[in-house]
Amino acid sequence: SSSSSSTKGDRFTALLLQSQAAAAFGVDIHPAASIGAGVVIDHGTGVVIGETATVGDGCTILHGVTLGGTAKDGSWDRHPKIGQDVLIGAGSSILGNIKVGNGAKIGSGSVVLRPIPSGATAVGAPAKIIGFAKEEKPGSDVDLALDEVEPLVKRNSSSLLSQESSMGSFTSATVATTEDESGEDDDDDGNGSNAGDGKQAEEDDNGSNGKDQKDTATVEDTSSMPPGCREWVAPKSHNRDLCPFRALKCGQGTLVPPGAVTRQTLVAILLQEGCKEDEIGEVYFALLRCTPPRSEARKHGYIPPCTFKEHFPDVAAKFTSISPCRAKAISRGDGKELKLCRRASKAFKKTFKGLQNASITDG
């Protein structure tokens, strides 16, 4: 038919133009890639953008950047999704169907293999988050030297004690030591880092105290579950060295106050709500930004209960599809309203109890 002939002709024309541009400029951008308005590809040489990649409005991409696929799962949609006003430094590679949030900055020569939240600055191979972008539109300001970055942790020894004391005192009887910083396979969370209950819950879920956790969700016997309860979704195991939040000193002898929410706990809670990896990262990073910069909480990567109660509903509304009612119930630790399954109730028991006893003015 004439329509099919036209489609084939359009495809041939697109491929011809792409081939000629690649030969003339050394730029390989697939015709099916989605490129937003106001995108600057500076110099252009060596830039590769894959078929299912998207680049939002106002981004700046330097030479030698690759937005490529991993093809690990054989999925057609295998390339990165870049948000608006993102800066990507020269020689960087962003691989796989992952998201880079609005206003993020990727340092030159970085290799990004995990989602990067909005407003984050990530560098290195593999990339890790080192701070918050100060400017609203990094893609326009083009801070290639990364001078406009608020450090993830502001180190000021004279302030640490005052910040910690302002969060309230707690004894060793009411705290626990977090186990690991990468999160998804720790017994620290997904089961409540504030309790011995957490370790038992992890043993129940994995049969090995969290050491051999599988990539598949743990299946729970639902025959005795009350109506409306959701099945337990176990966090997946990931390579800890690829965790973008590994710059934080999570799990290094950290004493966590009652009700404080570690990254691992937040991962487990949001997994029960059906959130994806990039959404979880966005929520955690936004809450971390609300945490006092020089506090022990920021340094060790946990969210104080007062900060969590105050900011979680708004942050969840911005980055997830969690209903406002459920977000508020999570923020105040209301397990009954959430109708959690037995494992989830046991896993989050100490964290939720601490949230119930905390007030916004405590911090």
Side-chain angles (χ1 to χ4, degrees):
S1 63
S2 59
S3 61
S4 61
S5 299
S6 175
T7 301
K8 290 181 179 179
D10 292 343
R11 183 174 184 275
F12 175 79
T13 302
L15 292 173
L16 177 63
L17 291 173
Q18 185 269 340
S19 176
Q20 295 300 311
F25 304 111
V27 178
D28 188 356
I29 302 177
H30 196 284
S34 176
I35 310 293
V39 173
V40 176
I41 302 179
D42 198 1
H43 300 293
T45 304
V47 169
V48 177
I49 301 179
E51 179 181 8
T52 59
T54 63
V55 180
D57 298 344
C59 292
T60 294
I61 300 175
L62 274 291
H63 52 282
V65 167
T66 298
L67 305 182
T70 58
K72 180 179 179 180
D73 58 0
S75 172
W76 172 78
D77 190 2
R78 61 193 184 280
H79 296 99
K81 309 297 181 281
I82 310 299
Q84 298 181 357
D85 302 301
V86 174
L87 172 64
I88 306 177
S92 297
S93 296
I94 305 176
L95 306 177
N97 185 11
I98 59 176
K99 291 184 179 180
V100 176
N102 298 337
K105 295 198 286 191
I106 308 299
S108 298
S110 299
V111 179
V112 182
L113 302 173
R114 293 284 184 269
I116 302 298
S118 300
T121 299
V123 300
K128 67 178 179 181
I129 296 170
I130 62 168
F132 308 91
K134 291 183 179 179
E135 63 271 62
E136 185 178 349
K137 296 183 177 181
S140 299
D141 294 345
V142 194
D143 173 31
L144 295 176
L146 303 182
D147 292 325
E148 298 299 313
V149 177
E150 176 190 338
L152 203 59
V153 179
K154 292 186 178 180
R155 307 191 182 282
N156 187 338
S157 57
S158 63
S159 303
L160 287 177
L161 291 177
S162 61
Q163 287 287 350
E164 184 176 8
S165 62
S166 69
M167 295 176 58
S169 60
F170 49 92
T171 65
S172 58
T174 60
V175 299
T177 302
T178 58
E179 293 294 328
D180 228 303
E181 126 261 341
S182 64
E184 288 78 359
D185 58 350
D186 304 336
D187 67 37
D188 166 44
D189 290 297
N191 44 27
S193 63
N194 298 319
D197 285 359
K199 290 187 176 181
Q200 183 60 48
E202 189 72 15
E203 291 172 356
D204 291 342
D205 295 337
N206 301 303
S208 58
N209 201 21
K211 300 301 182 183
D212 300 313
Q213 188 168 344
K214 305 300 182 181
D215 277 345
T216 56
T218 302
V219 179
E220 181 177 15
D221 180 11
T222 60
S223 59
S224 60
M225 289 173 56
C229 284
R230 304 183 181 188
E231 293 184 24
W232 168 259
V233 181
K236 294 181 179 180
S237 176
H238 290 296
N239 187 335
R240 301 172 185 179
D241 293 332
L242 301 182
C243 176
F245 295 101
R246 66 187 185 278
L248 295 170
K249 294 184 178 181
C250 303
Q252 298 182 13
T254 312
L255 295 179
V256 181
V261 180
T262 65
R263 191 176 94 84
Q264 296 91 333
T265 297
L266 185 65
V267 167
I269 290 173
L270 294 182
L271 281 176
Q272 312 315 307
E273 302 300 317
C275 295
K276 299 178 180 178
E277 183 180 5
D278 59 282
E279 295 174 328
I280 295 172
E282 292 278 13
V283 171
Y284 175 67
F285 193 68
L287 291 173
L288 201 62
R289 195 164 198 170
C290 296
T291 303
R294 293 183 174 87
S295 65
E296 286 292 286
R298 173 78 75 84
K299 178 181 177 181
H300 291 286
Y302 63 82
I303 312 302
C306 54
T307 302
F308 188 81
K309 293 188 75 168
E310 181 178 1
H311 296 286
F312 179 78
D314 291 336
V315 171
K318 182 177 181 180
F319 294 112
T320 75
S321 59
I322 299 174
S323 70
C325 291
R326 289 191 68 84
K328 290 179 181 178
I330 292 172
S331 70
R332 61 176 182 265
D334 191 345
K336 290 184 179 180
E337 183 173 335
L338 293 172
K339 295 183 178 180
L340 298 174
C341 66
R342 180 184 63 83
R343 285 183 179 175
S345 297
K346 185 176 182 180
F348 308 139
K349 180 179 179 181
K350 290 295 180 70
T351 299
F352 281 0
K353 184 177 180 180
L355 287 172
Q356 292 167 10
N357 294 333
S359 65
I360 291 177
T361 57
D362 287 345

